[in-house]
Amino acid sequence: MTGDTSALQLVLTGDPGLYAIVWLSLLVSLSAVACAAVIGVPLGALIALTRFPGREAIIVVLNALMGLPPVVAGLAIYLLLSRSGPLGSWGLLFTPAAMIIAQTVLVTPIIAALTRQTVEDLWLEYRDELAALDVGPIGRIATLIWDARFSLVTALLAGFGRAAAEVGAIMVVGGNINNFTRTMTTSIALETSKGDLPLAIGLGIILIMIIVMINALAWTARRAGERYAG
Amino acid sequence: MIIFTDATVAAGKVTILDQVSVAFAAGPPTVLIGPNGAGKTTMLRAAMGLVKLNSGAISCLSSARRAIVFQRPVMLRRSAAANIDYALARGEARTQRIEELLNLVGLAGFGDRPARRLSGGEQQRLALARALARDPAILFLDEPSASLDPASTKAIEDIIRAVSARGVKVVLSTHDLGQAKRLAGDVVLLHRGRVIEHAPASEFFAEPKTDQALRFMAGELLV
């Protein structure tokens, strides 16, 4: 990609550099959302259904972490993965894997906090019925997650929105290396700093279109599922 | 089958069940009647083990499996058949049993419908089928036909008779004296958390022994 080329031209001409950036952006953000969902959904459900000392404090911290500044998350992961850090021997710094880890850290609290709220609300409705059916703790969590699945799509979309839009964390741990760790957002930041505003704006529009498309797909799937399951 | 001995339930300073002693024996349905707040629902929930007693005891044959249908049953967000499947024990011939239960409650052909899209009466019948999927020896029904139209009420009552005829002990609460007359083998009149009268239905309706029972049947408000 060159500075004076418009983003539209790049899209129309099928520029391999642009598609690599779009692909990497999606790969990193969707992988992070998937990892965060695997951690955050059961964690949120567990907090919703259990009572233990310090639970309220954990909920407050979890809610607060939804606003975790990306550069702070990036810095923390950087320190962990840097050569002298505890996980430095893994050699992940400035790789897409490090970017996925950083975004997972950012997205997990969002998914866990929203899941906690959703499952807790549903639990109030289901509590007596599940108790009467003698459903054990694991069964309750599984049932509530399954029955809240359409609402939880919103939590996943919120997480994806956070991942797809952030630049600070992946810039710190990914390094914005051309053809390796450069994503849509880091490209926009770079092109803006270079003064190539048309390209930066064009990339921004493409990014927004992708986010809208993924949300539309998720919404359609949710509506279809609701129609079937009630 | 279930024996309440001085069972007391309180919420704060309010006593909901006040030293209730009563036994539900095997046989035709037992009907709990009484005004709002008499303690009918709490009694059923306590018998299910869903409410802790403050004092007293409830004993039940350990092998007697219990099930309950709440006044407003919650349908799981899945199909009618999946709602029944959820309550079935592992290893049962599931498809056949689901069909059988749907037939029993008059919902044959409704298996694939989303449970939450069914009408109130259909949901109540599905809740009955789901409770029966647990193969209970005792079935508690909390106001099973409250706010249902006469046709739906008749459908529910027919199912109750069919279930009772199969040997399941049914204990149900109702406001509807007509329903109590139609279904009850014995009647328990509750008022302010106390058992006012417990007698075979024929005796209770022909010769009530207490002033409260007379007034309740005359349509007077018990306050």
Side-chain angles (χ1 to χ4, degrees), chain B residues 87-144:
Chain B
L88 285 174
R90 282 181 193 169
E92 287 195 55
R94 311 184 85 84
T95 312
Q96 189 187 337
R97 184 94 173 100
I98 290 167
E99 285 301 315
E100 183 190 321
L101 287 165
L102 285 171
N103 277 330
L104 176 69
V105 299
L107 291 176
F110 283 62
D112 290 334
R113 298 234 193 133
R116 291 192 173 219
R117 300 273 170 87
L118 299 177
S119 71
E122 289 163 352
Q123 287 196 14
Q124 197 73 30
R125 282 186 275 155
L126 180 58
L128 259 167
R130 189 174 61 191
L132 292 169
R134 291 175 51 74
D135 205 11
I138 309 170
L139 177 63
F140 301 105
L141 306 173
D142 188 9
E143 307 260 4

Side-chain angles (χ1 to χ4, degrees), chain A residues 129-152:
Chain A
E129 208 71 66
L130 296 188
L133 290 169
D134 260 341
V135 181
I138 304 288
R140 288 175 191 181
I141 289 176
T143 301
L144 290 165
I145 289 174
W146 179 250
D147 276 32
R149 59 197 182 280
F150 302 120
S151 303
L152 292 180

Side-chain angles (χ1 to χ4, degrees), chain A residues 143-222:
Chain A
T143 301
L144 290 165
I145 289 174
W146 179 250
D147 276 32
R149 59 197 182 280
F150 302 120
S151 303
L152 292 180
V153 169
T154 306
L156 298 186
L157 287 176
F160 175 72
R162 165 82 149 167
E166 80 86 20
V167 60
I170 51 173
M171 186 77 95
V172 172
V173 301
N176 198 18
I177 302 165
N178 196 19
N179 294 326
F180 188 50
T181 58
R182 184 161 296 171
T183 66
M184 303 282 281
T185 52
T186 57
S187 288
I188 292 168
L190 178 69
E191 298 306 333
T192 303
S193 68
K194 282 161 57 183
D196 191 349
L197 295 181
L199 183 57
I201 292 168
L203 286 168
I205 291 170
I206 293 170
L207 178 60
I208 290 168
M209 282 168 58
I210 289 171
I211 291 173
V212 169
M213 260 168 27
I214 287 178
N215 274 269
L217 278 174
W219 179 254
T220 308
R222 176 185 168 155

Side-chain angles (χ1 to χ4, degrees), chain B residues 7-11 16-17 42 45-56 58:
Chain B
T8 298
V9 175
I16 304 170
L17 282 187
T42 303
R45 291 166 59 88
M48 268 301 289
L50 299 175
V51 172
K52 280 187 182 170
L53 300 182
N54 291 75
S55 64
I58 298 172

Side-chain angles (χ1 to χ4, degrees), chain A residues 98-159:
Chain A
M99 296 154 74
I100 292 170
I101 292 170
Q103 289 201 339
T104 301
V105 169
L106 284 175
V107 173
T108 299
I110 295 174
I111 292 179
L114 295 178
T115 300
R116 201 269 313 161
Q117 189 62 58
T118 304
V119 170
E120 202 164 303
D121 291 345
L122 196 61
W123 174 233
L124 293 176
E125 190 187 343
Y126 277 37
R127 182 168 50 196
D128 284 343
E129 208 71 66
L130 296 188
L133 290 169
D134 260 341
V135 181
I138 304 288
R140 288 175 191 181
I141 289 176
T143 301
L144 290 165
I145 289 174
W146 179 250
D147 276 32
R149 59 197 182 280
F150 302 120
S151 303
L152 292 180
V153 169
T154 306
L156 298 186
L157 287 176

Side-chain angles (χ1 to χ4, degrees), chain B residues 32-217:
Chain B
L32 310 181
I33 58 172
N36 276 337
K40 302 186 295 293
T41 297
T42 303
M43 201 165 169
L44 296 179
R45 291 166 59 88
M48 268 301 289
L50 299 175
V51 172
K52 280 187 182 170
L53 300 182
N54 291 75
S55 64
I58 298 172
S59 56
C60 175
L61 286 175
S62 58
S63 58
R65 197 195 293 263
R66 290 166 281 180
I68 188 167
V69 176
F70 296 104
Q71 187 174 346
R72 291 185 194 85
V74 174
M75 294 292 109
L76 303 180
R77 287 176 185 158
R78 41 194 101 186
S79 68
N83 265 269
I84 296 174
D85 187 52
Y86 187 84
L88 285 174
R90 282 181 193 169
E92 287 195 55
R94 311 184 85 84
T95 312
Q96 189 187 337
R97 184 94 173 100
I98 290 167
E99 285 301 315
E100 183 190 321
L101 287 165
L102 285 171
N103 277 330
L104 176 69
V105 299
L107 291 176
F110 283 62
D112 290 334
R113 298 234 193 133
R116 291 192 173 219
R117 300 273 170 87
L118 299 177
S119 71
E122 289 163 352
Q123 287 196 14
Q124 197 73 30
R125 282 186 275 155
L126 180 58
L128 259 167
R130 189 174 61 191
L132 292 169
R134 291 175 51 74
D135 205 11
I138 309 170
L139 177 63
F140 301 105
L141 306 173
D142 188 9
E143 307 260 4
S145 56
S147 72
L148 295 186
D149 61 28
S152 299
T153 300
K154 184 179 181 309
I156 295 282
E157 289 183 5
D158 287 344
I159 297 165
I160 292 171
R161 284 192 197 90
V163 167
S164 183
R166 291 180 175 195
V168 176
K169 173 65 186 178
V170 176
V171 180
L172 70 111
S173 68
T174 183
H175 274 104
D176 182 350
L177 272 178
Q179 183 169 64
K181 285 178 184 171
R182 289 190 295 273
L183 293 174
D186 58 323
V187 177
V188 177
L189 173 65
L190 284 167
H191 182 42
R192 292 182 178 171
R194 287 181 158 267
V195 174
I196 304 298
E197 195 164 335
H198 180 198
S202 54
E203 199 177 300
F204 180 86
F205 289 113
E207 296 173 45
K209 291 187 175 55
T210 58
D211 177 50
Q212 287 103 320
L214 270 171
R215 285 167 50 210
F216 187 72
M217 281 196 284

